[in-house]
Amino acid sequence: MFPQRLDAPQAYGIAKAMMDGFNRHYRLFRTESARAKHRFETADWHGQQRAQRERIEFYDLRVKECVRRLEKEFGAGAQSMDVWHQIKLHYIGLLVDHHQPELAETFFNSVTTKILHRTHFHNDFIFVRPAVSTEYIENDEPAARPTYRAYYPSRDTLNATFYSVIENFQLQREFADLARDTACVVDAMRSRIDKVKLRANFQIQVLTSLFFRNKGAYVVGKIINGFNEVPFALPILHDDDGKLFIDAALFGEDDLQMLFSFARAYFMVDMEVPSAYVQFLRSLMPRKPRAEIYNALGLAKQGKTLFYRDFLYHLKHSSDKFRIAPGIKGMVMLVFDLPSFPFVFKLIKDYFPPPKETTREQIKAKYLLVKQHDRVGRMADTLEYSEVAFPRDRFDDALIAEIEKYAPSQLEISDRDGDGQTEVIIKHLYIERRMIPLNIYLQEAFDTGLSDPRAHQQMERSVVEYGNAIKDLVAANIFPGDMLWKNFGITRNGKVVFYDYDEIEYLTDCNFRRVPTPRNEEEEMSGEVWYTVAPHDVFPETFGPFLLGNDAVRAVFMQHHGDLLDVDFWQQHKERIQAGHVYDVFPYDPERRFHHAAH
Ligand SMILES: Nc1ncnc2c1ncn2[C@@H]1O[C@H](COP(=O)(O)OP(=O)(O)OP(=O)(O)O)[C@@H](O)[C@H]1O
């Protein structure tokens, strides 16, 4: 019921306290993101990784704080429905002229649903859709930096323009040779602009904040000429002498998609108007959902909210059924999908067959570890949801039977919200991008026959990429635990990504061992493992038999990644990480590098 008069005295106080709670959250989030610049300038790589990890927790902490305050000062949970309506209207009033209204609405939802719980709240109390527009928000304060700057070079001044683009970031560390670097950037652009006529609107637009992640800082912008727009990104790194240099020039949507991949850690970006950044980035990557862009900027709760809205919208406009996901079923996860929707839904089973010795809590801890860790483009990000309701008539009966059998504690089938529709409510689930499981992808190549050159190439690329994926994980201090093909998937652009996290360990926690020499014939002839194995022992020599049954696969693997079967490979990486070394991970092809690092 829409209140005609805002006459509840507590309503404004509650709305204002909620807004204060959000503003405090965004101030802290932004400060931490802005500090990334200093950490980059001072080469504080461990600090950067720690901050990336810790910032993820900020949101939940602030929501909890706010809930506590509302309960203590206002007895918020005991307020009537009428008061809650008024709180929302006051809050909408406070959002006018706010610079992050969409995030503030989501914060309102998080706090409200915590206070009112599922049973009590109604969609009228929260923001199911945005109430306040994010279009054309500008920060008009005198000292405010705009979202992006425009530069108007001619053909002759391109070099000088890029020079000032970089200088305008005022990085407090010297470049080894910035003129050399900008010349390389212009050179890389040459093929794109040499033969085209430069139109009246020829310009370069550059986001005013740098994007920081791990050991890199990225300039992000676009080149506009006539009706054409070309996105670009310039990674800035430290060389061996501690001087800065531009490592590559990335152009086009595909390059940018790789940089902003869901399988990488979130960026640190100092933004007053995040929606304006999202809008700009969306113009660079029109196919990337806004949810993923918010995620990549570290605004994960907003990403989650938008994803869910997109999902409900998709459900309304589709008619297919949820089904058990294709591929080999998991022992700990029950995985299902909706064919028309490019994501999978994973729930933790209630019990696990041997040899799995794990618990729901341990599995959740591993998924959290991955969320907080640098995923180096090789581990899929997951969105975690609780109490998700799906329409029952969209569920395949076989899938319901599967959930009833393996995860009954997670399932409720009822009409909880009383709207006359039966729903399947899943207590806890992870949602992640759907990929083609590598075992299926390889099987496709085998089925075609490896004498077919394309099938052979598909197999070869998969095996090489699989090894590369493991090596990137190793560099990020991750031992995947279960390296079977089925635990990896192929993404849209042919990258291999890992998605089975229940046996993941830090590399530095593992003991890499050689298989001991048998002491007698009995041990030698034994088909079983006759030596004692402690929980964190890993025997790289033994990987082969599991992975390399196929001769053609074996040949490719041994040629490119034979070192993965060698205990020394693992041990050396472990020692370097223990000694404090942070490996570089490049979110672009090494061939794209200008190769200045060694100069
Ligand atoms: N992101 C994904 N895209 C496509 N298929 C997936 C994805 N995640 C999981 N699957 C499918 O679901 C199966 C089980 O998933 P997952 O490996 O996460 O479960 P698990 O129980 O941890 O497995 P394991 O028994 O190896 O421990 C996979 O083998 C694959 O077929």
Side-chain angles (χ1 to χ4, degrees):
M1 252 31 64
F2 188 84
Q4 298 200 353
R5 284 203 297 170
L6 300 182
D7 51 8
Q10 324 82 322
Y12 179 77
I14 294 178
K16 180 72 174 55
M18 202 119 62
M19 183 57 78
D20 290 346
F22 171 73
N23 288 340
R24 175 174 148 74
H25 162 64
Y26 197 70
R27 194 169 56 246
L28 294 173
F29 177 89
R30 189 167 170 200
T31 307
E32 190 63 72
S33 309
R35 282 195 194 123
K37 180 163 183 273
H38 182 68
R39 289 187 291 259
F40 174 75
E41 287 161 348
T42 53
D44 179 10
W45 311 135
H46 289 290
Q48 198 76 301
Q49 289 186 332
R50 198 178 324 115
Q52 285 170 198
R53 199 165 50 240
E54 288 174 0
R55 192 185 61 169
I56 295 171
E57 306 295 313
F58 282 15
Y59 188 86
D60 288 344
L61 292 174
R62 296 294 94 73
V63 168
K64 278 201 195 108
E65 243 172 52
C66 190
V67 168
R68 239 179 284 129
R69 175 169 175 215
L70 291 184
E71 290 291 14
K72 196 156 152 256
E73 289 182 30
F74 301 92
Q79 300 294 342
S80 68
M81 309 250 272
D82 179 49
V83 173
W84 275 102
H85 269 130
Q86 297 193 27
I87 294 170
K88 186 175 167 190
L89 289 175
H90 276 299
Y91 199 79
I92 293 173
L94 293 169
L95 288 175
V96 173
D97 288 338
H98 200 284
H99 291 163
Q100 307 92 27
E102 78 287 25
L103 308 186
E105 287 179 346
T106 297
F107 190 81
F108 182 96
N109 289 356
S110 302
V111 172
T112 309
T113 49
K114 281 251 158 16
I115 293 176
L116 299 182
H117 306 292
R118 269 257 150 199
T119 45
H120 187 71
F121 88 78
H122 195 263
N123 280 347
D124 286 354
F125 296 151
I126 60 169
F127 294 95
V128 176
R129 290 192 315 120
V132 174
S133 166
T134 52
E135 305 266 304
Y136 303 111
I137 301 179
E138 290 289 346
N139 184 2
D140 291 326
E141 288 155 25
R145 290 186 305 161
T147 298
Y148 63 88
R149 292 203 180 91
Y151 299 82
Y152 305 99
S154 67
R155 253 183 231 287
D156 300 334
T157 59
L158 264 177
N159 210 333
T161 301
F162 272 107
Y163 199 96
S164 47
V165 164
I166 304 291
E167 277 209 321
N168 280 344
F169 289 111
Q170 301 183 352
L171 283 164
Q172 301 301 303
R173 194 169 188 121
E174 219 184 332
F175 272 80
D177 188 348
L178 184 54
R180 169 202 67 187
D181 294 356
T182 53
C184 286
V185 172
V186 174
D187 221 37
M189 266 179 70
R190 194 141 281 152
S191 64
R192 290 170 188 273
I193 59 165
D194 250 7
K195 296 208 175 66
V196 298
K197 185 169 165 46
L198 297 188
R199 303 286 169 185
N201 67 346
F202 179 58
Q203 63 186 288
I204 295 172
Q205 296 184 348
V206 183
L207 286 168
T208 37
S209 184
L210 286 166
F211 287 56
F212 295 96
R213 181 171 65 197
N214 297 330
K215 295 165 82 175
Y218 299 82
V219 179
V220 179
K222 58 180 161 184
I223 304 159
I224 301 177
N225 186 38
F227 298 114
N228 277 329
E229 292 193 1
V230 179
F232 70 86
L234 309 175
I236 304 173
L237 304 178
H238 288 223
D239 70 13
D240 292 343
D241 305 324
K243 299 254 175 62
L244 301 180
F245 69 101
I246 301 177
D247 190 40
L250 311 177
F251 289 110
E253 192 182 345
D254 285 350
D255 280 4
L256 272 278
Q257 286 260 18
M258 253 222 246
L259 185 62
F260 286 88
S261 159
F262 65 90
R264 296 189 182 279
Y266 313 130
F267 283 110
M268 294 250 166
V269 192
D270 178 11
M271 303 171 288
E272 171 66 17
V273 185
S275 57
Y277 271 75
V278 171
Q279 201 175 329
F280 190 97
L281 290 167
R282 192 106 203 273
S283 75
L284 311 182
M285 297 170 279
R287 283 181 299 168
K288 200 170 181 65
R290 277 184 310 147
E292 286 182 23
I293 300 180
Y294 274 104
N295 275 341
L297 294 169
L299 296 163
K301 200 59 168 202
Q302 194 60 19
K304 197 173 151 177
T305 303
L306 288 181
F307 175 85
Y308 201 64
R309 286 177 186 162
D310 287 349
F311 170 60
L312 292 180
Y313 186 81
H314 180 88
L315 265 187
K316 275 241 174 318
H317 295 86
S318 59
S319 55
D320 53 342
K321 288 196 165 168
F322 291 94
R323 55 162 194 187
I324 299 169
I328 300 172
K329 288 181 188 170
M331 285 199 271
V332 302
M333 304 302 279
L334 194 160
V335 185
F336 63 93
D337 72 354
L338 183 68
S340 63
F341 190 64
F343 290 83
V344 293
F345 303 77
K346 302 175 119 171
L347 47 113
I348 303 174
K349 292 183 176 180
D350 284 354
Y351 52 90
F352 322 110
K356 294 274 182 195
E357 282 179 31
T358 184
T359 62
R360 180 175 294 277
E361 280 59 44
Q362 280 173 12
I363 294 164
K364 282 188 173 173
K366 302 279 185 191
Y367 272 73
L368 184 64
L369 181 159
V370 171
K371 183 134 210 92
Q372 295 174 341
H373 201 81
D374 180 13
R375 291 181 294 284
V376 292
R378 299 301 192 174
M379 287 187 280
D381 193 15
T382 48
L383 295 171
E384 194 175 359
Y385 289 88
S386 24
E387 306 286 339
V388 189
F390 304 89
R392 168 65 184 89
D393 59 10
R394 297 292 293 277
F395 263 60
D396 203 75
D397 291 340
L399 172 56
I400 295 285
E402 187 86 354
I403 304 175
E404 274 168 347
K405 182 160 177 207
Y406 293 106
S409 76
Q410 299 296 300
L411 181 69
E412 178 186 325
I413 301 179
S414 69
D415 176 13
R416 213 194 249 186
D417 56 7
D419 66 354
Q421 307 279 328
T422 308
E423 290 178 319
V424 174
I425 298 157
I426 308 273
K427 211 178 201 159
H428 177 266
L429 34 82
Y430 296 106
I431 302 182
E432 78 190 22
R433 253 315 172 81
R434 182 168 63 200
M435 293 166 253
I436 305 173
L438 198 50
N439 57 321
I440 295 185
Y441 197 67
L442 280 174
Q443 192 59 48
E444 279 173 14
F446 299 150
D447 291 347
T448 310
L450 294 181
S451 50
D452 177 277
R454 281 189 47 194
H456 193 273
Q457 199 192 25
Q458 176 163 331
M459 178 280 290
E460 186 165 14
R461 256 198 301 141
S462 311
V463 174
V464 172
E465 255 293 292
Y466 162 81
N468 290 341
I470 294 176
K471 285 179 177 168
D472 284 346
L473 291 171
V474 167
N477 193 21
I478 293 289
F479 176 64
D482 190 342
M483 306 206 297
L484 293 177
W485 306 100
K486 72 181 170 83
N487 296 324
F488 293 77
I490 300 261
T491 64
R492 185 177 64 91
N493 50 19
K495 295 275 282 184
V496 168
V497 170
F498 184 59
Y499 52 60
D500 180 356
Y501 305 145
D502 64 275
E503 292 187 39
I504 223 163
E505 297 288 350
Y506 288 120
L507 197 74
T508 42
D509 288 342
C510 299
N511 292 318
F512 295 101
R513 293 180 52 194
R514 238 175 266 284
V515 176
T517 319
R519 286 163 303 185
N520 52 44
E521 202 170 320
E522 199 183 324
E523 287 180 351
E524 190 170 359
M525 303 313 283
S526 156
E528 309 283 315
V529 175
W530 50 266
Y531 42 91
T532 48
V533 179
H536 286 101
D537 283 355
V538 178
F539 299 88
E541 297 156 73
T542 62
F543 298 161
F546 290 102
L547 300 174
L548 308 174
N550 179 294
D551 287 344
V553 167
R554 186 179 184 85
V556 176
F557 184 90
M558 292 314 286
Q559 186 191 342
H560 295 270
H561 298 300
D563 45 359
L564 288 175
L565 305 183
D566 179 2
V567 71
D568 292 336
F569 168 88
W570 297 87
Q571 192 56 31
Q572 279 162 13
H573 277 82
K574 174 178 166 180
E575 283 166 15
R576 282 199 80 185
I577 294 168
Q578 276 172 331
H581 183 76
V582 179
Y583 282 93
D584 289 291
V585 262
F586 301 103
Y588 39 90
D589 220 325
E591 286 152 31
R592 305 297 290 277
R593 305 189 60 200
F594 296 145
H595 291 291
H596 289 151
H599 290 196

